[in-house]
C-alpha cells in the first residue's frame, strides 16, 4: 500500500514539517492507547501484523530512508532492527518472515516505544538544523513517510479487529455508538433492497495524478485519457440488508455468480457470509465491530467483503462493479463535497453509517469514507508509468499483478490521507479490510413492446410452472418498464410479468406451487410422469431436446430420464444464473449426453442452434408458459417451433384448459393468500429498488376471469392515490386504478388446434395427454404435411 511521492503538500518549512510529523505520529499512539501490551504482540494471521511491529516498522522507515541518508555521523538504533522491521524492501537487505512477526516477543513493547521516541527526536533535530537545500530533499521523503504512517494507522485498526474477533470473548476495542436501531431478521431482510442510479455520460475522460496538487503515490500517475461508455452508478453503497438478501437467496451455495477462483475460496474456506457476520440462535444477524458484537444495522454499508464476493453480488443483482476510470469520472465533480462530509477515521465512529446520515451536498453519497469501494480494474501501471529508482520505488511497481483497485477511503482511513486519484489495492480474496460495494450498470436503450391493451404486460413470460429471476440480460430494466408501463394517461397501467420474479418473488412463487388450489404443478407432474415412455416410442433413439425458457432444467430432467438414449439437450435461457444451474444439473445427471446451453431469449436462441443435429428434434415448452402471451405472439412462437423442429421433428407444449371459472380464480387468488403476497411483492420491490415510496397498504390484489379473452387477469388495485418518480417521469396512480401484473390465457381443444393450424402445425388424434379432470393438456405438435 505504500510507495513514493513526487509532490509535497507543504512549503519547504522545517517548522511546518515538524508540526505535521508530530501530529500524525501522535495519532498512531492514540490509536494504541486502548490496547494492552498483550494485544499489541499477537499476530492474528499471515496477512495481519502485530501492533508492536507496525509501531517499529513505521519508525524503521524514517530511520532507514531519512536518518541514514541525511543525519551526520548516523548510527543505527539497533543493527538487528534493520532486518526485523523491514517489510518488502529487498534492496535494503534481509527481512524477517512475515508470517513469523507474532513470534517477536523481543524487543519488548517498551523498547519499541523507546526506539520510536528516539527516532522522533533525531528527526526533529535534523529538520531544525537542515539547510534549505537539504530540507528540499528531505521534505518529500518525510511526506512519504507520514502517508506511509497513515496507512499503518488504518492497518492497525484492521488487524486489531481481526485479532479481537478471534478471541472467544470477542472484546471491544472501544465503546462506541449505541446498538443499531433495527435488527435484521432471517425472514424480512430489513432495510431497503437497492439503491437508485445516477447516469454518467460517457466520452473521453482524463484520470490520474494532475501533478500540482500535493502528495501522490507513484501508481496514481501519469495522468492519461480513457474512453468510457455512458453508464449508471449507484447513488450509495450496498447495505447490510441488501447483502443479506444475497445470502438468503443462496448466494454462497450456488457457483453460478462466482468467478472460478472465488468459488474455490468459498469451498475451501467455508465462506457463508461476510467475515464478521454471525447468525445468532434466534435467527438474527449480528456483526463484530470495533465496538464489540452488535445487532446488524440493515441500512449501513456492508463491509469486509472480498473482490470475489463483491463481484458475485453484483452479478446476482444484474449489475457489475465500476471500472476505476468510471469511478473517478463520476467522483471528479463531487469529490470536494464527498471528502468533506465523508465518514473517516477523524469522525471517531470507527464503523460505517447509513447513507441517510451523510447529508451530502452531492447526488452520489458515500464516495469518500465508510468503505473502500472495489472496482473491477486490475492494479496495473498506467500508460507511461515507470517506478522510481532505488529501494523506495519497490513497493508498487513489483506488486502490479494479481490485485484489484479500490477507491474512496473507509471509516478508519485518515481524511487527509485520501484523494480523488488514490489507488488502494488488495488481492481479490482479501476480506479484513473495510471494503464494500458500489454497483454500476451499462445504460440500455428503452424498447417498448406493446400488447393488445397498450401495456407491456405480455412482452415476457409471467406466471407459469417455473419462476423467472430478473437478471442483467432482461431486455428492459425495471425502471424503464415502470416509466413506460405506468406513465402517461388514458391506458391501462401494466408491468412486464418477469419483474414479479425477483429473488423474493421466486421464493413466493414456490409457495404458490405448494398451494392446493394451484393445480398446474400437480397435474403437469402427473402427466409428465407417464409421458416419456410414449414419447420414446414416437421419437426413437438419439433425440435432441431443445427447451426455450429452460429455467433450472428440472422438468427436462424428468423428460430426458424417460427417453431412449437422448443425444443432446439444448437449454435456452436468458438468465445466466438459471442457465448455469440447468447446465450443471443435466450434465451431472446424464454424463454421456451432450449439453449445449444457449443464453438468449426464446426466438434469438432458436436462431442460434449452430452445431445442433438437424434431425429428430423435440422442442419442449411445458408449464403453460404459452398462456402468458397474446394470440399473435403465441402463433409467431409456434411458427418458430415449426421452423426449428424440421421435417421430422416435434414440439411438446403445455396448455392450461378452460374449466370452471371458480376453480381458475381460486388458483390465481388462493384462500391462503400466497398469490396476493406474490403480487404485492411488486410494490415492495418498487420501494426497495426504485425508492418509490409507495404505501404497501394502499394496494389490494385481485384476479378475475375475462371470458371474452379467455384469460385470467391479475392486477393490483390502488385504494388511495399514490405518486412516484421514475427516470424523471412523475407517475400518479389514482384511487381505484388498476395495475395489471399478469395474464394467463386458457384454451379449449378447438382453440389449440386452431392456433396450431395458423402456425402450420398439427396435432395427431392420439398426441394430446390430459389429467383425469381434463384441466391441463400436453400436446405433441408436428409440421402440417398439407401446409
Amino acid at each position: 500500500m505504500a510507495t513514493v511521492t513526487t509532490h509535497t503538500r507543504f512549503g519547504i518549512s522545517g517548522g511546518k514539517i515538524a508540526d505535521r510529523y508530530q501530529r500524525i505520529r501522535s495519532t498512531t499512539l492514540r490509536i494504541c492507547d486502548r490496547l494492552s501490551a498483550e494485544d499489541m504482540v499477537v499476530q492474528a494471521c499471515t496477512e495481519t501484523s502485530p501492533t508492536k511491529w507496525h509501531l517499529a516498522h513505521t519508525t524503521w522507515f524514517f530511520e532507514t530512508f531519512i536518518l541514514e541518508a541525511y543525519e551526520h555521523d548516523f548510527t543505527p538504533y539497533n543493527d538487528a532492527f534493520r532486518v526485523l522491521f523491514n517489510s518488502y524492501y529487498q534492496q535494503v537487505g534481509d527481512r524477517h518472515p512475515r508470517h513469523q512477526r507474532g513470534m517477536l516477543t523481543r524487543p519488548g513493547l517498551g523498547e519499541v516505544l523507546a526506539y520510536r521516541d528516539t527516532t522522533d527526536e533525531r528527526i526533529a533535530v535534523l529538520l531544525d538544523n537542515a539547510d534549505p537545500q537539504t530540507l528540499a530533499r528531505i521534505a518529500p521523503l518525510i511526506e512519504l513517510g507520514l502517508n506511509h504512517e497513515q496507512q499503518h494507522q488504518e492497518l492497525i485498526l484492521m488487524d486489531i479487529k481481526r485479532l479481537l474477533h478471534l478471541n472467544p470473548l470477542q472484546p471491544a476495542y472501544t465503546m462506541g455508538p449505541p446498538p443499531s436501531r433495527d435488527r435484521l431478521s432471517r425472514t424480512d431482510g430489513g432495510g431497503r433492497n437497492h439503491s437508485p442510479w445516477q447516469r454518467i455520460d460517457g466520452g473521453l475522460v482524463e484520470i490520474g495524478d494532475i501533478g500540482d496538487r500535493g502528495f501522490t503515490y507513484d501508481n496514481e500517475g501519469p495522468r492519461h485519457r480513457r474512453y468510457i461508455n455512458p453508464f449508471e452508478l449507484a447513488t450509495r453503497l450496498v447495505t447490510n440488508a441488501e447483502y443479506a438478501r444475497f445470502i438468503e437467496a443462496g448466494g454462497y451455495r450456488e457457483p453460478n455468480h462466482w468467478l472460478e477462483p472465488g468459488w474455490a475460496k468459498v469451498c475451501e474456506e467455508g465462506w457463508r457470509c461476510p467475515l464478521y457476520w454471525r447468525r445468532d440462535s434466534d435467527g438474527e444477524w449480528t456483526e463484530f465491530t470495533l465496538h464489540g458484537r452488535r445487532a446488524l444495522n440493515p441500512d449501513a454499508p456492508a463491509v469486509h467483503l472480498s473482490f470475489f464476493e463483491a463481484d458475485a453480488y453484483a452479478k446476482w443483482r444484474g449489475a457489475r462493479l465500476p471500472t476505476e476510470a468510471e469511478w473517478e469520472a463520476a467522483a471528479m465533480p463531487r469529490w470536494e463535497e464527498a471528502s468533506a462530509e465523508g465518514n473517516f477515521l477523524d469522525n471517531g465512529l470507527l464503523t460505517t453509517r447509513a447513507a441517510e446520515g451523510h447529508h451530502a451536498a452531492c447526488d452520489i453519497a458515500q464516495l469518500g469514507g465508510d468503505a473502500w469501494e472495489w472496482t473491477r480494474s486490475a492494479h496495473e501501471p498506467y500508460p507511461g508509468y515507470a517506478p522510481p529508482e532505488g529501494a523506495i520505488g519497490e513497493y508498487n511497481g513489483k506488486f502490479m499483478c494479481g490485485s484489484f483497485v479500490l477507491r474512496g477511503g473507509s471509516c478508519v482511513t485518515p481524511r487527509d490521507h485520501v484523494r480523488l486519484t488514490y489507488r488502494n489495492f488488495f488481492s481479490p480474496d482479501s476480506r479484513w479490510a473495510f471494503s464494500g460495494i458500489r454497483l454500476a450498470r451499462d445504460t440500455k436503450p428503452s424498447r417498448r413492446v406493446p400488447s393488445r391493451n397498450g401495456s407491456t404486460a405480455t412482452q415476457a413470460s409471467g406466471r407459469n410452472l417455473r419462476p423467472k429471476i430478473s437478471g442483467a440480460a432482461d431486455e428492459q430494466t425495471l425502471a424503464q418498464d415502470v416509466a413506460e408501463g405506468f406513465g402517461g394517461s388514458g391506458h391501462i397501467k401494466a408491468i412486464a410479468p418477469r419483474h414479479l420474479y425477483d429473488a423474493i418473488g421466486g421464493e413466493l412463487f414456490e409457495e404458490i406451487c405448494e398451494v392446493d388450489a394451484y393445480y398446474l404443478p400437480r397435474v403437469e407432474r402427473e402427466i409428465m410422469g407417464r409421458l416419456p415412455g410414449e414419447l420414446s416410442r414416437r421419437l426413437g433413439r438419439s433425440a435432441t431436446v431443445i427447451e426455450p425458457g429452460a429455467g433450472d432444467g428440472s422438468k427436462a430432467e424428468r423428460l430426458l430420464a424417460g427417453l431412449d438414449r437422448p443425444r443432446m439437450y439444448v437449454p435456452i435461457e436468458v438468465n445466466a444464473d438459471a442457465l448455469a444451474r440447468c447446465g450443471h444439473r443435466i450434465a451431472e445427471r446424464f454424463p454421456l449426453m451432450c449439453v449445449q446451453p444457449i443464453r438468449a431469449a426464446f426466438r434469438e436462441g432458436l436462431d442460434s442452434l449452430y452445431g445442433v443435429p438437424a434431425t429428430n428434434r423435440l422442442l419442449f415448452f411445458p408449464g403453460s408458459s404459452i398462456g402468458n402471451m397474446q394470440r399473435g405472439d403465441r402463433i409467431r412462437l409456434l411458427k418458430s417451433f415449426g421452423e426449428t423442429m424440421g421435417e421430422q421433428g416435434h414440439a411438446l407444449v403445455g396448455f392450461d384448459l378452460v374449466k370452471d371459472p371458480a376453480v381458475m380464480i381460486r388458483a390465481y387468488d388462493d384462500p391462503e393468500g400466497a398469490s396476493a403476497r406474490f403480487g404485492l411483492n411488486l410494490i415492495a420491490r418498487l420501494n426497495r429498488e426504485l425508492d418509490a415510496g409507495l404505501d404497501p397498504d394502499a394496494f389490494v390484489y385481485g384476479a378475475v376471469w375475462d371470458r371474452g379473452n379467455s384469460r385470467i387477469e391479475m392486477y393490483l388495485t390502488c385504494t388511495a392515490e399514490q405518486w412516484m418518480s421514475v427516470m424523471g417521469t412523475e407517475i400518479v396512480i389514482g384511487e381505484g386504478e388498476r395495475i395489471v401484473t399478469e395474464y394467463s390465457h386458457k384454451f379449449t381443444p378447438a382453440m389449440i388446434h386452431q392456433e396450431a393450424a395458423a402456425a402450420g402445425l398439427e396435432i395427431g388424434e392420439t398426441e394430446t395427454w390430459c389429467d383425469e379432470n381434463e384441466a391441463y393438456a400436453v400436446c405433441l405438435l408436428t409440421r402440417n404435411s398439407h401446409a
Side-chain angles (χ1 to χ4, degrees):
M1 291 174 60
T3 184
V4 73
T5 178
T6 56
H7 311 286
T8 58
R9 70 172 70 233
F10 42 70
I12 305 302
S13 165
K16 290 182 179 179
I17 299 173
D19 290 345
R20 177 168 165 78
Y21 180 95
Q22 178 62 34
R23 176 174 60 82
I24 290 176
R25 295 277 282 174
S26 298
T27 298
T28 306
L29 295 180
R30 285 197 299 274
I31 290 172
C32 299
D33 283 344
R34 299 184 176 100
L35 301 176
S36 68
E38 292 80 3
D39 290 333
M40 300 170 74
V41 175
V42 181
Q43 184 175 12
C45 56
T46 299
E47 66 185 352
T48 68
S49 298
T51 302
K52 185 181 73 173
W53 188 91
H54 286 296
L55 293 173
H57 169 68
T58 52
T59 302
W60 169 94
F61 186 96
F62 288 107
E63 181 186 48
T64 301
F65 293 116
I66 298 175
L67 292 179
E68 184 173 333
Y70 294 101
E71 186 181 46
H72 183 66
D73 294 331
F74 168 79
T75 301
Y77 181 89
N78 185 320
D79 287 331
F81 288 7
R82 188 177 182 86
V83 173
L84 292 181
F85 303 123
N86 181 5
S87 55
Y88 303 106
Y89 298 92
Q90 299 197 34
Q91 295 183 53
V92 172
D94 293 337
R95 297 162 294 149
H96 185 73
R98 178 173 183 172
H99 66 281
Q100 294 181 5
R101 290 172 183 172
M103 298 180 180
L104 297 175
T105 58
R106 305 292 177 89
L109 177 60
E111 187 171 357
V112 167
L113 293 175
Y115 172 45
R116 190 176 178 91
D117 289 343
T118 301
T119 300
D120 290 348
E121 292 172 1
R122 295 167 68 178
I123 289 288
V125 171
L126 178 64
L127 291 173
D128 189 51
N129 295 329
D131 58 56
Q133 292 77 18
T134 302
L135 193 60
R137 293 193 294 271
I138 292 175
L141 294 173
I142 292 284
E143 182 67 359
L144 173 61
L146 293 177
N147 276 268
H148 173 253
E149 179 100 9
Q150 289 179 312
Q151 289 177 316
H152 280 268
Q153 291 168 1
E154 180 165 358
L155 284 169
I156 289 171
L157 291 167
M158 289 163 50
D159 292 359
I160 201 64
K161 182 175 182 178
R162 189 80 179 94
L163 178 65
L164 297 178
H165 175 255
L166 294 174
N167 189 319
L169 301 177
Q170 298 222 318
Y173 164 76
T174 182
M175 298 302 293
S180 51
R181 54 182 174 82
D182 297 315
R183 290 175 67 80
L184 185 60
S185 73
R186 186 187 185 103
T187 56
D188 66 15
R192 296 175 178 167
N193 190 44
H194 201 46
S195 61
W197 302 87
Q198 179 70 34
R199 179 183 169 89
I200 307 297
D201 292 331
L204 197 62
V205 299
E206 288 190 351
I207 68 168
D209 175 27
I210 295 174
D212 60 354
R213 297 187 181 179
F215 174 86
T216 57
Y217 288 118
D218 67 314
N219 68 338
E220 297 174 52
R223 191 164 180 81
H224 62 287
R225 293 181 176 182
R226 294 277 180 95
Y227 183 84
I228 59 175
N229 289 315
F231 70 102
E232 292 179 317
L233 191 69
T235 57
R236 58 171 172 78
L237 300 175
V238 169
T239 66
N240 287 322
E242 292 166 352
Y243 198 84
R245 290 272 170 76
F246 172 66
I247 299 172
E248 301 295 349
Y252 286 88
R253 299 191 301 271
E254 295 289 343
N256 312 309
H257 318 298
W258 296 81
L259 295 169
E260 182 58 31
W263 182 246
K265 281 290 181 181
V266 171
C267 298
E268 292 168 6
E269 301 188 10
W271 292 356
R272 292 295 179 269
C273 59
L275 176 60
Y276 295 118
W277 286 28
R278 185 179 74 195
R279 197 194 298 279
D280 288 344
S281 58
D282 60 358
E284 304 286 350
W285 283 111
T286 62
E287 178 183 23
F288 183 75
T289 72
L290 287 168
H291 310 298
R293 184 158 292 281
R294 298 288 181 89
L296 196 67
N297 181 352
D299 295 325
V303 288
H304 298 293
L305 298 168
S306 67
F307 171 83
F308 291 136
E309 290 165 296
D311 180 73
Y313 175 86
K315 290 174 181 173
W316 179 75
R317 288 306 313 168
R320 60 174 174 81
L321 300 177
T323 66
E324 62 171 327
E326 289 174 333
W327 190 97
E328 189 169 323
M332 193 175 303
R334 304 164 173 88
W335 179 252
E336 185 175 348
E337 293 85 359
S339 59
E341 297 195 9
N343 177 26
F344 292 100
L345 174 65
D346 313 58
N347 296 56
L349 296 180
L350 304 182
T351 189
T352 59
R353 65 182 182 184
E356 289 80 358
H358 279 250
H359 306 295
C362 59
D363 49 5
I364 302 180
Q366 299 172 308
L367 282 169
D370 276 307
W372 288 104
E373 302 176 23
W374 284 108
T375 74
R376 64 176 183 176
S377 297
H379 181 231
E380 60 184 8
Y382 282 163
Y385 169 82
E389 296 181 358
I392 210 162
E394 284 190 46
Y395 200 107
N396 272 336
K398 68 180 183 181
F399 284 103
M400 288 182 170
C401 177
S403 56
F404 286 82
V405 173
L406 303 92
R407 294 297 196 107
S410 81
C411 59
V412 293
T413 307
R415 187 185 307 275
D416 68 347
H417 178 61
V418 293
R419 57 204 152 267
L420 174 67
T421 58
Y422 195 109
R423 302 175 79 199
N424 199 357
F425 59 93
F426 286 107
S427 62
D429 60 342
S430 294
R431 307 175 86 202
W432 99 113
F434 284 78
S435 48
I437 310 170
R438 186 185 300 277
L439 298 179
R441 66 186 184 187
D442 300 318
T443 58
K444 298 179 181 179
S446 176
R447 182 162 63 89
R448 186 178 184 184
V449 183
S451 68
R452 181 183 303 177
N453 69 352
S455 75
T456 58
T458 61
Q459 185 217 346
S461 62
R463 182 189 294 201
N464 45 56
L465 300 189
R466 54 181 168 271
K468 299 291 186 184
I469 308 302
S470 293
D474 282 348
E475 291 183 7
Q476 298 172 317
T477 65
L478 174 62
Q480 288 169 335
D481 279 2
V482 169
E484 295 178 353
F486 287 19
S489 60
H491 74 274
I492 299 173
K493 286 183 169 58
I495 188 72
R498 68 170 176 273
H499 294 308
L500 299 173
Y501 295 90
D502 63 344
I504 297 174
E507 295 173 0
L508 292 171
F509 183 79
E510 291 176 5
E511 293 181 12
I512 292 176
C513 291
E514 300 300 321
V515 172
D516 288 340
Y518 192 57
Y519 54 84
L520 273 78
R522 184 172 61 255
V523 297
E524 188 182 52
R525 282 195 299 268
E526 185 272 322
I527 295 171
M528 293 301 298
R530 54 185 164 86
L531 185 57
E534 298 186 41
L535 284 178
S536 285
R537 288 190 289 274
R538 286 170 169 78
L539 301 177
R541 183 175 294 180
S542 301
T544 293
V545 177
I546 302 167
E547 185 180 13
D552 64 1
S554 57
K555 290 186 172 69
E557 183 178 11
R558 292 192 292 269
L559 174 67
L560 291 165
L563 298 181
D564 186 5
R565 302 184 190 178
R567 179 179 181 180
M568 179 182 285
Y569 172 59
V570 183
I572 300 171
E573 173 60 51
V574 74
N575 183 271
D577 296 334
L579 185 64
R581 288 196 300 272
C582 176
H584 287 302
R585 177 189 202 125
I586 301 301
E588 289 181 3
R589 177 72 187 277
F590 306 98
L592 299 181
M593 182 184 67
C594 178
V595 180
Q596 182 174 314
I598 297 176
R599 185 185 179 190
F602 293 173
R603 292 180 182 84
E604 289 83 352
L606 294 175
D607 291 334
S608 305
L609 300 177
Y610 308 114
V612 176
T615 59
N616 205 13
R617 289 179 173 182
L618 175 65
L619 274 294
F620 184 43
F621 199 60
S624 193
S625 297
I626 200 167
N628 296 121
M629 303 176 181
Q630 297 283 29
R631 187 175 189 276
D633 293 327
R634 296 195 297 265
I635 292 174
R636 282 189 289 273
L637 181 66
L638 291 176
K639 283 183 177 179
S640 67
F641 284 1
E643 295 167 356
T644 302
M645 70 175 67
E647 292 294 335
Q648 304 299 320
H650 302 78
L652 190 66
V653 183
F655 295 90
D656 194 21
L657 301 179
V658 174
K659 57 189 72 68
D660 183 350
V663 173
M664 292 187 289
I665 291 175
R666 278 174 57 86
Y668 293 90
D669 193 3
D670 57 276
E672 289 89 343
S675 292
R677 290 191 293 275
F678 173 71
L680 289 168
N681 178 58
L682 174 66
I683 303 301
R685 186 180 182 194
L686 296 181
N687 288 339
R688 288 191 301 266
E689 300 192 16
L690 304 182
D691 285 336
L694 301 174
D695 180 3
D697 296 329
F699 293 88
V700 178
Y701 171 82
V704 296
W705 169 242
D706 181 353
R707 183 181 301 273
N709 289 302
S710 191
R711 68 191 183 193
I712 294 288
E713 177 182 303
M714 288 150 275
Y715 57 87
L716 302 175
T717 301
C718 181
T719 61
E721 183 177 283
Q722 303 287 303
W723 66 272
M724 58 188 292
S725 177
V726 178
M727 299 183 70
T729 301
E730 295 295 329
I731 297 171
V732 178
I733 308 173
E735 182 178 352
E737 193 170 9
R738 287 183 176 182
I739 301 171
V740 176
T741 57
E742 294 182 272
Y743 293 129
S744 182
H745 290 80
K746 309 304 175 186
F747 304 87
T748 64
M751 291 169 60
I752 297 173
H753 282 274
Q754 289 170 4
E755 294 194 4
L761 304 176
E762 62 182 5
I763 305 170
E765 292 183 2
T766 61
E767 294 179 336
T768 296
W769 296 267
C770 294
D771 62 293
E772 61 180 0
N773 296 320
E774 296 188 347
Y776 187 82
V778 177
C779 302
L780 190 67
L781 294 84
T782 57
R783 294 177 67 167
N784 192 327
S785 56
H786 304 292

